[in-house]
Amino acid sequence: MAKPGRIERCMGRVEFRAAEEEILHMHRMGYANKHIYAKLAEEGKLSLAYSTFNGHLRKLLQAKSPTHPDKKPTLIVDKEASMVFTIPSNGNI
């Protein structure tokens, strides 16, 4: 049984998943996490804590982002300068 003022265990995840499409749409539109949370909480779609919301959103975005763990970084060797440059496999410099 949940304490007064709290939701049942794991129900925050259920609420988050129910609003997942709207959350992702607002995130793609450029809304900050706190604005997404505030809007959905005001509409009564979320009653979980803001920190829990951020944790679920972070996990969701990590799962949606493309990753290539088997791809190795590219090495560029400048023989004249005797230097080796590494280019990350994810394209970030």
Side-chain angles (χ1 to χ4, degrees), residues 59-78:
K59 288 178 187 175
L60 176 66
L61 295 175
Q62 285 175 351
K64 298 276 183 193
S65 67
T67 57
H68 303 287
D70 57 331
K71 191 173 180 183
K72 296 180 181 174
T74 304
L75 294 177
I76 299 175
V77 180
D78 184 351

Side-chain angles (χ1 to χ4, degrees), residues 12-23:
R13 179 176 37 226
V14 172
E15 292 176 347
F16 184 88
R17 295 294 181 209
E20 183 176 309
E21 200 169 306
E22 188 173 358
I23 292 167

Side-chain angles (χ1 to χ4, degrees), residues 7 19 31 33 38-39 41 48 51 63 71 82 88 90-92:
I7 60 174
Y31 285 92
N33 292 1
K39 179 182 182 295
L48 66 156
S51 59
K71 191 173 180 183
S82 299
N90 62 3
N92 294 335

Side-chain angles (χ1 to χ4, degrees), residues 9-49:
R9 183 170 174 81
C10 299
M11 288 306 295
R13 179 176 37 226
V14 172
E15 292 176 347
F16 184 88
R17 295 294 181 209
E20 183 176 309
E21 200 169 306
E22 188 173 358
I23 292 167
L24 285 175
H25 175 71
M26 291 178 73
H27 188 267
R28 282 191 298 265
M29 296 283 295
Y31 285 92
N33 292 1
K34 67 180 181 177
H35 295 286
I36 298 170
Y37 175 82
K39 179 182 182 295
L40 296 174
E42 184 179 297
E43 293 174 357
K45 294 181 180 178
L46 295 178
S47 59
L48 66 156

